[in-house]
């Protein structure tokens, strides 16, 4: 499995817009794949011939002329004809959403719309090729960046805040109610991370249940990640059970999801993605 | 002045002190071309060298090519349009003219741009998709039906087969009873940037340059009001270049055309006044304004001082602007209206002669009629409501803008020297130099966006989870078949012997050195198709296959 993945980046159709094709070629190379770029104006026949000749694992089709509905299915049909139906095919370009189901039903594995980060495309191709070859799609997740915060369950914010603010001299940033979790949260800044003090607002609140069962104290550790949806996918692929399988909105507008403690040796971990609110690599 | 310097010193100290508590957002601020941007301009500047700017309508035209600019007449609002059949596009054109548009701009489909008939095997799936399908004079007649060619100017985005489309336009005018001397418009006809960035080339550079200079010579005599080329930075920028690369490579290409025409025996003042330019307008407002102003100054100096042109018209860089297609996002497409507004404003502040504003949905498909109307309205609001058109070159004298204009000129100069050292633009293109430079910048930009160093609102930040998907324009999928039938009918009904004789005459001409334009006009008049004409030239000239 140390063999490099080989990809043919191809431009079917007559348009000359190869900025995307060139950028994705470079990005896949930087990711560690071998990439062959066909150049402009390739017929489906030429593309399939090149793919077979070069023995590639995957083909990336880029078309900005609007001819994708004719040309992509033709590539798929020719691949099958040549006995190369196991080559993973993905596509991109100016492709209207409503055409995507048709193209995917023709056998294209995924259409990437404008604005997709190149890393996402690279990971998709990698996972698809691994799955095809019978390997687990992924061996782990991209590591979390930092401890975003530590969540502490408390009976009453008013009671405990003086300890944090006056005794420890930490800075209280904000107090916010998170209706989805029935809690009131105080954020306390400490270095690059935070303490989150969680006070239950009702009997249904998970924090109330936690306190009833185990008393006040450390509730969860939040790991700062980027690209939370992909991270969740990676964990699930690695057999980890999630409490939320899709990210939900947490305090401060972050996207969050909890890992089930049964999968994490009894510790409650939260994944927390603030790229959107803090604008990028924070 | 001394007193002022003292004040500046104090201000600097105080500012640095306050920055310890309120640091700036970034270590280094820069433009798209990586020019560093200082905290403040002008504090230490002496009076600006007014000679360097000149006055509007005067050499070196930093401040614009006309003395009154938009106080006399607004820029031409020229929306690029075309899709499907000639009949459908004709309808869109008449709609746009009715809505107050003042010039036409024709988008051709890719088979037309690459010289294939609609029934050629390479045309599969492409007929009528990104523009209108034109196979023969018959289609051109339908495209221009009931449009008074002596009153509108028409811009045609056509390059490798530019002579064929120009020939068709001339013959349609004749048939409307209008003399070629009175028609006006532009053909893009800029093959070098096709090799660099846009990709619709057919022939190798040498015969391509011949076709271009043939057009220069022919139009000088027959179609004197026609802009024979639109030297385009637009696509270079779209392919990933930054502002300085856009301008530098465009000017370098411009020089190559001038050199080729002089070598073909033309007098500079006989063709230079008909050269036009076409630039992009991206989001970095001040840098874009500076780019347009620097462009005029660089070209004026080049034409007057380096080439010795005498006619002031030869010194004037006239340009069309289109807002930046690659800046548009597929996500939250309505945000694109705001981007387009900023970009259009930069073009107007930079003194453009004509402008195309993109539609909000162009990252998704061809624009719908609603989107195309909003795009035109954007220009009309800038013209009629903002007041920016009421004085000439309103940003002149801004310390920042003048500084950027100077830096732009300097940096373009460096690129021009580099290209000169490679043997000029044609040689640089053949070596892939510009292509590599552009790709490098494109990749850097992509990485910056993915790292979040460059924020694209709605795409890598401020995103929405459940986006509403707008309605998109669909092109008639049966058009390819209809065009094929039309061609079969045409080939059966035209005078075949005449058509064949015309094509043979063109072949002979292509083997020799005579001007090919009159031969192409003859072919077109007798309904030879674009595929047949370009087919003959392909056989004689060969095809370009990329670096």
């Amino acid at each position: 499995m140390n063999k490099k993945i080989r990809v043919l980046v191809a431009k079917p159709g007559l348009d000359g817009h190869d900025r995307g094709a060139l950028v994705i070629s470079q990005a896949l190379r930087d990711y560690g794949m071998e990439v062959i770029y066909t150049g402009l104006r390739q017929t489906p026949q030429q593309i399939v011939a090149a793919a077979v000749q070069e023995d590639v694992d995957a083909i990336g089709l880029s078309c900005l002329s609007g001819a994708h509905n004719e040309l992509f299915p033709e590539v798929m049909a020719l691949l099958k004809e040549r006995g190369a139906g196991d080559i993973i095919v993905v596509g991109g370009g100016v492709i209207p959403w409503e055409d995507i189901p048709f193209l995917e039903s023709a056998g294209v594995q995924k259409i990437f719309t404008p604005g997709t980060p190149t890393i996402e495309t690279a990971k998709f191709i990698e996972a698809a090729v691994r799955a095809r070859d019978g390997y687990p799609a992924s061996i782990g997740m991209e590591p979390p960046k930092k401890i975003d915060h530590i969540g502490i369950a408390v009976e009453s914010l008013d009671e405990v805040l003086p300890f944090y603010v006056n005794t420890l001299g930490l800075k209280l940033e904000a107090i916010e109610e998170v209706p989805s979790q029935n809690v009131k949260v105080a954020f306390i800044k400490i270095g690059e991370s935070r303490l989150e003090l969680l006070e239950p607002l009702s009997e249904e609140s998970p924090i109330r249940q936690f306190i009833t069962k185990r008393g006040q104290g450390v509730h969860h550790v939040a790991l700062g990640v980027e690209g939370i949806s992909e991270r969740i996918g990676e964990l699930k692929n690695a057999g980890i059970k999630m409490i939320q399988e899709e990210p939900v909105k947490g305090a401060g507008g972050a996207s969050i999801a909890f890992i089930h403690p049964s999968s994490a040796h009894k510790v409650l971990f939260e994944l927390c993605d603030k790229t959107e609110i803090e604008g990028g690599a924070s | 002045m001394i007193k002022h310097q003292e004040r500046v010193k104090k201000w600097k100290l105080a500012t640095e002190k306050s920055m310890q508590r309120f640091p700036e957002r970034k270590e280094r601020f820069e433009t798209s071309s990586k020019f560093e941007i200082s905290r403040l301009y002008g504090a230490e500047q002496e009076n600006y060298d007014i000679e360097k700017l000149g006055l509007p309508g005067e050499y070196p035209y930093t401040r614009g090519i006309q003395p009154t600019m938009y106080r006399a007449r607004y820029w031409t609002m020229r929306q690029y349009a075309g899709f499907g059949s000639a009949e459908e596009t004709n309808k869109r054109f008449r709609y746009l003219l009715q809505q107050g548009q003042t010039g036409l701009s024709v988008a051709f489909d890719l088979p037309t741009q690459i010289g294939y008939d609609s029934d050629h095997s390479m045309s599969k799936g492409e007929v009528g998709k990104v523009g209108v399908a034109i196979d023969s004079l018959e289609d051109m007649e339908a495209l221009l039906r009931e449009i008074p060619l002596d009153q509108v100017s028409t811009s045609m985005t056509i390059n490798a087969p530019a002579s064929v489309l120009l020939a068709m336009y001339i013959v349609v005018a004749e048939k409307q009873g209008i003399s070629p001397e009175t028609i006006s418009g532009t053909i893009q006809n800029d093959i070098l940037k096709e090799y660099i960035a846009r990709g619709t080339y057919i022939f190798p550079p040498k015969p391509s340059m011949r076709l271009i200079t043939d057009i220069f010579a022919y139009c000088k005599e027959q179609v004197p009001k026609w802009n024979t080329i639109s030297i385009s930075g637009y696509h270079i920028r779209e392919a990933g270049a930054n502002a300085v690369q856009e301008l530098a490579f465009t000017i370098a290409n411009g020089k190559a055309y001038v050199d080729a025409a002089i070598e073909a025996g033309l007098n500079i003042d006989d063709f230079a006044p008909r050269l036009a330019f076409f630039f992009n307008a991206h989001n970095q407002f001040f840098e874009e304004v500076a780019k347009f102003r620097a462009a005029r100054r660089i070209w004026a100096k080049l034409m007057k001082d380096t080439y010795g042109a005498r006619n002031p018209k030869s010194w004037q860089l006239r340009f069309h602007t289109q807002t930046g297609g690659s800046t548009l996002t597929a996500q939250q497409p309505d945000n694109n209206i705001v981007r387009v507004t900023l970009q259009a404003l930069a073009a107007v502040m930079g003194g453009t002669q004509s402008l195309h504003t993109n539609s909000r949905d162009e990252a998704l498909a061809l624009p719908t009629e609603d989107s195309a109307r909003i795009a035109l309205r954007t220009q009309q609001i800038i013209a009629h409501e903002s007041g920016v058109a009421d004085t000439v070159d309103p940003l002149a004298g801004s310390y920042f803008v003048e500084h950027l204009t100077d830096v732009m000129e300097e940096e373009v100069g460096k690129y021009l020297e580099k290209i000169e050292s490679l043997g000029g633009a044609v040689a640089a293109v053949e070596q892939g130099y510009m292509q590599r430079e552009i790709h490098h910048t494109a990749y850097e930009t992509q990485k910056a966006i993915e790292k979040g160093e460059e924020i694209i609102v709605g795409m890598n930040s401020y995103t929405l989870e459940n986006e509403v998907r707008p309605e998109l324009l669909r092109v008639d999928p049966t058009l390819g078949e209809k065009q094929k039938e039309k061609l079969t009918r045409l080939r059966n009904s035209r005078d075949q012997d005449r058509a064949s004789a015309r094509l043979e005459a063109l072949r002979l001409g292509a083997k020799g050195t005579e001007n090919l334009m009159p031969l192409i006009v003859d072919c077109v008049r007798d309904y030879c198709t674009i595929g047949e004409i370009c087919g003959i030239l392909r056989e004689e000239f060969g095809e370009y296959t990329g670096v």
Side-chain angles (χ1 to χ4, degrees):
Chain A
M1 194 53 210
N2 286 328
K3 196 177 130 266
K4 278 192 173 183
I5 293 176
R6 285 166 70 79
V7 184
L8 183 78
V9 172
K11 271 204 68 65
L14 299 181
D15 78 276
H17 302 94
D18 60 358
R19 174 179 183 168
L22 290 169
V23 164
I24 200 78
S25 298
Q26 181 85 42
L28 296 180
R29 271 186 209 114
D30 285 357
Y31 192 80
M33 300 181 184
E34 277 178 41
V35 180
I36 304 130
Y37 173 50
T38 60
L40 300 180
R41 295 187 210 165
Q42 299 293 304
T43 62
Q45 288 77 7
Q46 288 170 313
I47 292 168
V48 170
V52 170
Q53 165 99 28
E54 297 285 346
D55 190 24
V56 297
D57 299 296
I59 302 176
L61 299 170
S62 166
C63 180
L64 284 82
S65 72
H68 48 268
N69 278 351
E70 283 83 359
L71 299 175
F72 288 11
E74 200 175 329
V75 169
M76 300 313 300
L78 287 168
L79 278 174
K80 231 178 241 163
E81 228 170 77
R82 296 280 301 261
D86 63 334
I87 295 179
I88 308 291
V89 179
V90 298
V94 176
I95 295 175
W97 288 305
E98 58 223 51
D99 290 351
I100 293 175
F102 168 71
L103 295 173
E104 291 183 347
S105 75
V108 178
Q109 287 234 349
K110 190 159 172 76
I111 295 293
F112 294 97
T113 47
T116 309
T118 52
I119 188 94
E120 211 170 280
T121 311
K123 287 194 166 160
F124 180 89
I125 293 174
E126 183 184 48
V129 171
R130 277 168 167 278
R132 180 197 67 185
D133 295 348
Y135 294 89
S138 172
I139 22 182
M141 79 182 271
E142 194 182 298
K145 307 290 176 202
K146 63 176 184 191
I147 301 283
D148 185 87
H149 63 264
I150 295 170
I152 298 173
V154 302
E155 280 287 0
S156 150
L157 286 178
D158 291 341
E159 256 170 52
V160 303
L161 274 175
F163 169 74
Y164 290 95
V165 177
N166 302 335
T167 316
L168 295 181
L170 293 170
K171 189 169 178 285
L172 171 65
E173 277 190 326
I175 295 183
E176 186 187 311
E177 288 189 7
V178 183
S180 68
Q181 304 284 319
N182 279 313
V183 287
K184 193 154 119 188
V185 190
F187 299 94
I188 305 218
K189 182 88 180 154
I190 171 164
E192 63 161 15
S193 86
R194 289 180 179 80
L195 299 175
E196 250 187 48
L197 306 179
L198 308 154
E199 177 193 302
L201 283 178
S202 72
E203 289 308 306
E204 293 82 58
S205 164
I207 296 299
R208 166 56 58 210
Q209 292 163 21
F210 178 87
I211 292 175
T212 312
K213 238 165 127 186
R214 302 165 74 164
Q216 298 190 86
V218 172
H219 175 257
H220 69 269
V221 176
L223 306 172
V225 298
E226 288 170 16
I228 187 163
S229 303
E230 290 92 76
R231 303 294 87 75
I232 294 173
E234 288 162 353
L235 287 173
K236 279 164 57 189
N237 284 334
I240 299 294
K241 195 172 162 200
M242 299 296 298
I243 296 177
Q244 286 91 10
E245 300 216 325
E246 296 284 334
V248 297
K249 280 281 168 252
S255 296
I256 65 160
F258 283 94
I259 299 175
H260 202 282
S262 64
S263 278
H265 311 282
K266 305 295 169 205
V267 180
L268 180 61
F269 281 109
E270 173 190 326
L271 302 184
C272 175
D273 185 349
K274 292 186 172 161
T275 6
E276 212 174 284
I277 44 176
E278 288 176 358
S282 52
Chain B
M1 204 59 207
I2 301 226
K3 226 174 160 184
H4 180 67
Q5 295 300 355
E6 280 298 310
R7 258 176 84 180
V8 170
K9 228 182 197 172
K10 267 194 194 160
W11 177 83
K12 276 190 167 167
L13 281 175
T15 306
E16 268 159 35
K17 211 169 147 199
S18 88
M19 274 171 54
Q20 288 168 1
R21 283 176 51 223
F22 305 106
E24 293 181 329
R25 283 183 284 113
K26 294 184 211 175
E27 287 277 304
R28 181 187 155 96
F29 288 79
E30 52 185 31
T31 68
S32 85
S33 309
K34 309 285 170 214
F35 303 161
E36 180 158 15
I37 303 174
S38 305
R39 182 169 306 127
L40 185 76
Y41 288 90
E44 287 161 297
Q45 243 126 343
E46 302 290 326
N47 281 340
Y48 195 79
D49 178 8
I50 213 83
E51 283 300 306
K52 192 148 74 178
L53 294 184
L55 290 167
E58 289 181 12
Y59 179 87
Y61 304 103
T62 317
R63 305 202 59 184
I65 59 164
Q66 290 117 5
T68 57
M69 288 303 289
Y70 309 132
R71 285 168 67 95
R73 199 171 65 83
Y74 290 122
W75 59 93
T76 303
M77 300 177 192
R78 195 190 292 281
Q79 299 296 90
Y80 185 49
F83 60 92
S85 67
E87 288 79 9
E88 275 177 283
T89 304
N90 174 266
K91 255 190 240 161
R92 175 71 74 96
F93 280 165
R94 285 191 286 154
Y95 171 79
L96 286 168
L97 289 172
Q98 230 173 42
Q99 291 299 309
Q101 173 161 316
T102 46
L104 294 179
S105 178
V106 191
F108 297 102
D109 71 355
L110 286 162
T112 307
Q113 293 189 49
I114 304 176
Y116 291 125
D117 286 335
S118 298
D119 56 0
H120 191 281
S121 65
M122 289 296 284
S123 306
K124 191 175 176 202
E126 306 277 9
V127 176
K129 284 280 161 65
V130 302
V132 57
I134 301 289
D135 288 316
S136 74
L137 182 65
E138 191 178 51
D139 296 321
M140 199 69 158
E141 289 170 304
L143 179 73
L144 299 171
R145 192 170 58 87
E146 287 174 37
I147 294 173
L149 299 189
D150 50 346
Q151 287 164 44
V152 296
S153 73
T154 304
S155 168
M156 295 193 279
T157 300
I158 194 75
N159 292 279
S163 6
V164 182
L165 276 300
L166 174 59
M168 288 182 184
Y169 195 91
I170 292 169
V171 175
V172 173
E174 279 175 9
K175 289 192 157 186
Q176 283 190 6
I178 294 158
S179 143
E181 277 173 25
T182 58
I183 59 173
S184 68
T186 307
I187 38 177
Q188 200 162 72
N189 200 24
D190 171 10
I191 200 66
L192 291 174
K193 66 91 180 51
E194 297 295 329
Y195 301 130
I196 296 173
R198 192 168 172 273
T200 68
Y201 42 73
I202 305 177
F203 317 113
K206 214 172 155 209
S208 296
M209 294 299 270
R210 171 190 174 186
L211 285 170
I212 291 169
T213 50
D214 279 357
I215 293 173
F216 287 0
Y218 180 86
C219 287
K220 160 80 176 113
E221 300 303 327
Q222 311 285 330
V223 204
K225 286 167 71 181
W226 201 268
N227 296 310
T228 49
I229 191 166
S230 172
I231 306 162
S232 305
Y234 184 81
H235 318 89
I236 292 174
R237 188 68 174 278
E238 289 301 290
N242 58 35
V244 68
Q245 290 170 328
E246 175 194 352
L247 182 53
F249 298 164
T250 309
I251 301 274
N253 290 346
K255 282 182 68 181
Y257 296 121
V258 170
D259 290 338
I262 290 172
E263 196 170 322
L266 300 178
N267 179 316
I268 186 142
D269 284 320
D270 282 346
F271 67 87
R274 297 322 303 172
L275 305 178
F277 287 78
F278 173 21
F279 292 114
N280 209 314
H282 274 210
N283 288 329
Q284 293 206 0
F285 182 77
F286 293 110
E287 185 181 39
E288 294 300 298
V289 174
K291 179 185 75 185
F292 300 127
R293 301 173 82 244
R296 278 190 295 269
R297 194 154 79 203
I298 294 167
W299 189 250
K301 288 182 183 172
L302 206 58
M303 296 311 285
K304 183 166 181 265
D305 304 339
T306 310
Y307 287 101
R310 297 250 191 83
N311 182 352
K313 293 251 177 246
S314 302
W315 308 336
Q316 296 170 0
L317 179 144
R318 295 170 299 127
F319 68 101
H320 171 69
T321 307
Q322 180 170 340
T323 58
S326 62
T327 68
L328 304 183
T329 59
Q331 299 78 9
Q332 303 176 39
D334 285 350
N335 294 349
N336 293 326
I337 299 174
V338 183
R339 294 192 177 95
V340 167
T341 307
L342 282 170
Q343 296 164 2
L345 193 61
V348 170
M349 301 296 249
T352 194
Q353 273 60 58
S354 60
L355 179 61
H356 166 103
T357 32
N358 287 331
S359 297
R360 57 185 169 177
D361 44 6
E362 286 183 45
L364 302 165
L366 286 180
T368 61
E369 199 160 287
D370 272 353
S371 300
R373 190 184 57 246
I374 295 172
L376 176 60
R377 293 289 181 262
T378 305
Q379 295 199 40
Q380 290 163 334
I381 290 169
I382 291 174
H384 299 288
E385 300 184 24
S386 75
V388 297
D390 294 347
T391 185
V392 178
D393 192 23
L395 289 178
S398 147
Y399 297 117
F400 181 39
V401 171
E402 296 300 356
H403 168 79
L404 281 178
T405 308
D406 291 350
V407 176
M408 190 65 74
E409 185 178 4
E410 254 172 63
E411 295 296 318
V412 166
K414 288 183 196 160
Y415 264 117
L416 290 178
E417 269 170 38
K418 169 78 189 170
I419 292 165
E420 213 53 48
S421 77
L422 294 172
V426 178
V429 166
E430 285 173 332
Q431 294 161 37
Y433 167 71
M434 286 110 141
Q435 295 91 315
R436 279 194 304 277
E437 284 285 303
I438 294 168
H439 172 58
H440 178 74
T441 309
Y443 193 52
E444 291 302 310
T445 306
Q446 179 69 22
K447 283 201 291 194
I449 291 171
E450 292 188 11
K451 281 192 210 147
E453 292 165 6
E454 218 172 282
I455 299 290
I456 310 292
V457 173
M459 190 181 94
N460 67 359
S461 46
Y462 313 106
T463 50
L464 285 180
E465 261 162 42
N466 294 310
E467 288 211 34
V468 184
R469 296 174 172 186
E471 212 167 289
L472 301 175
L473 181 96
R474 312 282 321 181
V475 175
D476 175 7
T478 64
L479 182 69
E481 289 309 310
K482 289 182 191 153
Q483 260 330 94
K484 276 187 195 175
E485 286 163 22
K486 223 169 153 187
L487 268 170
T488 312
R489 265 202 318 274
L490 176 88
R491 291 201 176 100
N492 289 333
S493 63
R494 71 181 174 187
D495 183 337
Q496 192 54 47
D497 291 344
R498 270 182 84 95
S500 303
R502 294 302 194 191
L503 289 170
E504 275 319 299
L506 176 63
R507 185 192 298 280
L508 268 181
K511 286 183 196 291
T513 57
E514 69 184 292
N515 193 320
L516 295 179
M517 235 352 249
L519 299 172
I520 294 174
V521 172
D522 287 342
C523 286
V524 160
R525 191 178 282 122
D526 286 319
Y527 292 94
C528 297
T529 67
I530 189 164
E532 292 164 344
I533 295 169
C534 292
I536 295 282
L537 296 178
R538 276 187 160 98
E539 286 168 28
E540 295 306 317
F541 292 159
E543 285 194 63
Y544 184 78
T545 51
V547 178

